[in-house]
Amino acid sequence: MANTNAPFGFRQVKGTGSAPTYEQNTRYIKSDNSTAIYFGDAVIPLTTGYIAQATASTVRVEGIFAGCKYVSTSQKRTVWSNYWPGSDANGDVEAYVIDDPNAQFEVQSSDSGGTAAVTFANVGEYINLAVGSGNTATGISGMTVNVATLNTTVTLPFRIVGLIENPPGSNGTDIASEFNRVIVAFNNASTRTNGAGPT
């Protein structure tokens, strides 16, 4: 059965910590950062010390965004949210980021302009993200990993460590068609030194 394109960002499935915190640590978003950051988005560090939504690049990732807290200008109270909408904060936004160097994440694959899937032959290779469109109603990320970027480039942010095959017949488990789901781990990240590349 062919897979459906239904991205959800990076969903943690393994790590040193346990639910619900999964070794989350606090970072900060500048209140005038107008780019939304969704639950499950990869984030990058800025030279200012703040974080921002990651884009498809070789900049090291700071971790995976898991929500935030801020004082709302419009509501005049502290708001806890699973995503940063890009405005409405009075002062810095306290963000929660999964940065456990041993963390692994389930994520949907995509192929910019193609129809390829991630295969068993790609396990051990490095891959870049694709931003996609987050959902403002649910706050859930639209990020995927881009099959077209599979490479041995050690500066890419993630590495493929497995494919999702269970439960059989569920969306994303058809490993022969596009939009299949994979397990990735950090590669080029603040808490983990990137490797020497697959051989």
Side-chain angles (χ1 to χ4, degrees), residues 2 36 54 57 64 81 100 123 134 144 152 171:
S57 70
I64 303 300
S81 176
D100 174 8
V123 172
T144 59
T152 58
N171 186 38

Side-chain angles (χ1 to χ4, degrees), residues 67-171:
C68 61
K69 178 182 76 171
Y70 58 93
V71 177
S72 167
T73 302
S74 63
Q75 299 181 54
K76 307 295 188 292
R77 65 179 181 88
T78 298
V79 170
W80 297 78
S81 176
N82 68 336
Y83 89 112
W84 163 240
S87 63
D88 194 37
N90 180 4
D92 290 346
V93 177
E94 186 175 294
Y96 311 113
V97 174
I98 301 168
D99 60 1
D100 174 8
N102 298 311
Q104 294 183 9
F105 304 89
E106 178 179 350
V107 62
Q108 181 194 291
S109 66
S110 63
D111 187 6
S112 54
T115 59
V118 178
T119 69
F120 283 115
N122 301 126
V123 172
E125 292 186 349
Y126 303 135
I127 195 166
N128 214 332
L129 61 87
V131 176
S133 299
N135 186 322
T136 57
T138 64
I140 301 298
S141 171
M143 283 191 178
T144 59
V145 287
N146 187 354
V147 179
T149 66
L150 279 164
N151 210 312
T152 58
T153 307
V154 296
T155 51
L156 290 175
F158 298 98
R159 70 185 193 281
I160 303 292
V161 296
L163 308 183
I164 298 291
E165 297 183 272
N166 292 302
S170 61
N171 186 38

Side-chain angles (χ1 to χ4, degrees), residues 27-31 33 37 50-51 65 68 84 91-93 95:
R27 302 291 192 280
Y28 291 92
I29 304 166
K30 199 165 175 26
S31 61
N33 180 345
I37 306 176
Y50 294 97
I51 61 167
F65 185 79
C68 61
W84 163 240
D92 290 346
V93 177

Side-chain angles (χ1 to χ4, degrees), residues 12 14-17 22-25 27 61-64 97-105 157-159 161 184-195:
Q12 186 166 11
K14 187 177 181 181
T16 304
Y22 286 117
E23 297 291 317
Q24 293 174 21
N25 283 297
R27 302 291 192 280
V61 294
E62 192 70 7
I64 303 300
V97 174
I98 301 168
D99 60 1
D100 174 8
N102 298 311
Q104 294 183 9
F105 304 89
F158 298 98
R159 70 185 193 281
V161 296
V184 300
F186 290 128
N187 178 54
N188 187 10
S190 295
T191 56
R192 184 186 185 280
T193 302
N194 54 301

Side-chain angles (χ1 to χ4, degrees), residues 2-5 109-111 114-118 172 174-180:
N3 302 311
T4 301
N5 184 16
S109 66
S110 63
D111 187 6
T115 59
V118 178
D174 181 354
I175 63 174
S177 68
E178 64 178 326
F179 309 131
N180 68 314

